[in-house]
């Protein structure tokens, strides 16, 4: 008699968020927390990386955002400390704390960078504990994912899926003419991840440059409970991000800012909003002018190994309909 094999996947998707907060990381993070409160996803852990600001600051912000949302019990892994000029690279966009200089308006985090586990260890342990079940959502440089893969070859294959915000294919970069920030920050890490599996999902600037969160949208979310800490954070962080986005000409003059990292959540929870292309993706690790550039092989010859699904179109109206309603729900349940 044949045995019925019952897969042990629980019905609620499990995720680890790998992040470098960052104003847009925080909005993605709040969206994820709203979906978790609605019972649509389980957050297994958060891992932080140096990127927009230093590893200490991204760790601290992630802890503050989890505590704000009532998820203080979730483990936060710490990223590697970097020396030199890379350490504070996008503070001019996101503020010196990565949070629009608003971190001191929230309670200090209850845990410390020094005593946290390393992000790569958290990734390795969790993926080994729940093979095939965890989706990795990577919204910062890919340093932690690559470190885990180098330490434990094949570990990224144990993720259910890896969803990445990064790259620029048929549009300019945002840190050099060719390169997008997350890939440019650590292209060697991106290369390791791109070689790790054949079903990566990539949300590049090609779609995220259309995701402009306006002052009015932020206000519509905040009005659910305007005096709450969350509402103040949303309004004040948006104001900060709008200023820097306008001064860096990221939004065609519209008073808003790009919520790049939130695109990953639209892929996971509202996939009908996106068009993706099956692709063979490369990253340039050495070019003098092109370091961090991502390319889709469009030549006519047969490709032996496509490695990714790359999003190239998004329905931004529907994106913001879902984003705003979910953030309003978070605001509602936190009151
Ligand atoms: C990416 O770079 C960072 O500054 C943002 O947080 C986002 O992850 C966009 O290029
Ligand atoms: Ca980010």
């Amino acid at each position: 008699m044949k045995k019925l094999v019952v897969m042990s996947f629980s019905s609620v998707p499990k995720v680890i968020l790998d992040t470098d907060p960052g104003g847009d990381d925080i909005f993605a993070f709040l969206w994820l927390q709203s979906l978790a409160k609605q019972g649509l996803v389980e957050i297994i852990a958060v891992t932080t990386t140096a990127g927009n600001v230093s590893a200490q600051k991204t760790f601290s912000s992630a802890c503050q955002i989890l505590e704000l949302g009532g998820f203080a019990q979730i483990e936060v892994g710490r990223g590697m400390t970097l020396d030199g000029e890379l350490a504070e690279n996008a503070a001019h966009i996101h503020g010196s704390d990565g949070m629009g200089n608003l971190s001191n308006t929230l309670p200090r985090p209850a845990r410390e960078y020094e005593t946290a586990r390393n992000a790569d260890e958290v990734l390795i342990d969790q993926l080994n504990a729940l093979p095939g079940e965890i989706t990795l959502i990577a919204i910062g440089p890919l340093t932690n994912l690559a470190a885990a893969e180098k330490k434990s070859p094949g570990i990224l294959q144990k993720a259910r899926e890896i969803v990445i915000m990064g790259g620029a294919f048929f549009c300019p970069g945002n840190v050099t003419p060719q390169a997008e920030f997350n890939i440019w920050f650590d292209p060697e890490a991106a290369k390791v991840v791109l070689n790790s599996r054949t079903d990566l999902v990539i949300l590049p600037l090609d779609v995220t440059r259309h995701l402009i969160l306006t002052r009015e949208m932020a206000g519509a979310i905040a009005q659910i409970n305007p005096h709450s800490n969350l509402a103040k954070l949303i309004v004040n962080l948006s104001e900060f991000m709008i200023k820097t986005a306008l001064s860096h000409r990221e939004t065609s003059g519209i008073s808003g800012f790009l919520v790049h990292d939130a695109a990953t959540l639209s892929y996971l929870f509202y996939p009908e909003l996106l068009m993706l292309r099956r692709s063979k993706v490369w990253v340039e690790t050495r070019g003098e002018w092109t370091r961090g550039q991502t390319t889709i092989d469009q030549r006519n010859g047969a490709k032996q190994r496509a490695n990714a699904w790359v999003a190239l179109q998004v329905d931004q109206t529907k994106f913001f309909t879902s984003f705003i309603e979910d953030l309003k729900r978070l605001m509602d349940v936190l009151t």
Side-chain angles (χ1 to χ4, degrees):
M1 199 170 69
K2 274 190 184 167
K3 258 192 176 170
L4 183 65
V5 180
V6 181
M7 302 293 278
S8 70
F9 294 140
S10 95
S11 55
V12 178
K14 296 177 169 54
V15 302
I16 294 179
L17 182 70
D18 187 75
T19 175
D20 65 332
D24 62 320
D25 297 72
I26 289 170
F27 278 87
F29 208 158
L30 294 173
W31 196 1
L32 180 62
Q33 292 189 37
S34 169
L35 294 161
K37 297 262 185 211
Q38 294 175 54
L40 295 168
V41 61
E42 182 184 353
I43 307 170
I44 298 293
V46 172
T47 50
T48 53
T49 178
N52 286 319
V53 289
S54 70
Q56 284 86 351
K57 290 177 183 173
T58 60
F59 173 83
S60 173
S61 302
C63 295
Q64 285 182 300
I65 298 301
L66 280 174
E67 286 162 26
L68 181 66
F71 289 98
Q73 79 287 0
I74 291 175
E75 180 170 20
V76 180
R78 64 173 192 175
M80 275 177 280
T81 304
L82 301 179
D83 298 325
E85 58 185 44
L86 261 188
E88 295 282 323
N89 220 279
H92 59 294
I93 303 282
H94 301 271
S96 64
D97 57 359
M99 210 193 269
N101 302 328
L102 295 163
S103 52
N104 58 10
T105 64
L106 296 176
R108 282 180 57 77
R111 38 197 155 170
E112 297 199 338
Y113 177 84
E114 285 69 26
T115 51
R117 285 207 295 160
N118 290 333
D120 56 353
E121 288 166 30
V122 174
L123 289 170
I124 292 169
D125 286 355
Q126 294 290 1
L127 290 170
N128 277 329
L130 294 165
E133 288 198 52
I134 297 175
T135 295
L136 300 182
I137 307 175
I139 58 174
L142 294 165
T143 313
N144 291 331
L145 274 65
E149 183 69 16
K150 281 194 206 149
K151 231 182 230 179
S152 177
I155 192 71
L156 295 181
Q157 286 279 358
K158 295 193 177 179
R160 180 176 184 134
E161 196 171 24
I162 301 182
V163 183
I164 297 165
M165 189 280 128
F169 294 91
F170 304 103
C171 65
N174 61 355
V175 62
T176 72
Q178 279 83 21
E180 179 280 330
F181 180 83
N182 289 340
I183 305 296
W184 167 86
F185 191 90
D186 194 347
E188 288 79 15
K191 188 172 175 182
V192 170
V193 175
L194 285 172
N195 288 335
S196 71
R197 27 197 306 159
T198 56
D199 60 350
L200 299 160
V201 174
I202 300 180
L203 286 302
L205 291 183
D206 303 68
V207 293
T208 68
R209 69 195 172 127
H210 298 296
L211 302 179
I212 304 174
L213 180 76
T214 63
R215 176 175 291 130
E216 290 68 33
M217 292 174 185
I221 299 164
Q223 55 86 24
I224 297 291
N225 184 8
H227 302 297
S228 64
N229 280 343
L230 180 57
K232 287 180 196 156
L233 180 72
I234 286 175
V235 168
N236 295 331
L237 182 56
S238 298
E239 284 305 324
F240 184 95
M241 295 296 293
I242 289 168
K243 254 186 229 138
T244 60
L246 284 173
S247 72
H248 289 84
R249 307 180 184 193
E250 289 183 336
T251 57
S252 313
I254 296 169
S255 282
F257 67 100
L258 299 172
V259 284
H260 302 283
D261 292 337
T264 53
L265 296 169
S266 69
Y267 165 77
L268 285 168
F269 296 95
Y270 301 94
E272 68 282 2
L273 304 186
L274 293 153
M275 294 279 281
L276 297 100
R277 181 187 290 185
R278 183 82 185 128
S279 306
K280 166 80 183 163
V281 172
W282 289 335
V283 60
E284 171 62 85
T285 54
R286 283 180 296 189
E288 183 183 356
W289 303 105
T290 53
R291 188 174 150 81
Q293 178 175 13
T294 43
T295 307
I296 290 177
D297 187 350
Q298 295 198 84
R299 294 171 300 173
N300 289 331
K303 326 269 172 315
Q304 283 186 305
R305 194 171 177 264
N307 56 353
W309 294 94
V310 179
L312 294 176
Q313 284 176 35
V314 62
D315 182 331
Q316 59 263 49
T317 307
K318 287 189 176 167
F319 173 95
F320 281 112
T321 302
S322 300
F323 176 88
I324 291 168
E325 287 313 309
D326 282 334
L327 262 70
K328 282 182 180 171
R329 282 197 186 204
L330 180 66
M331 189 75 77
D332 206 24
V333 293
L334 290 183
T335 57

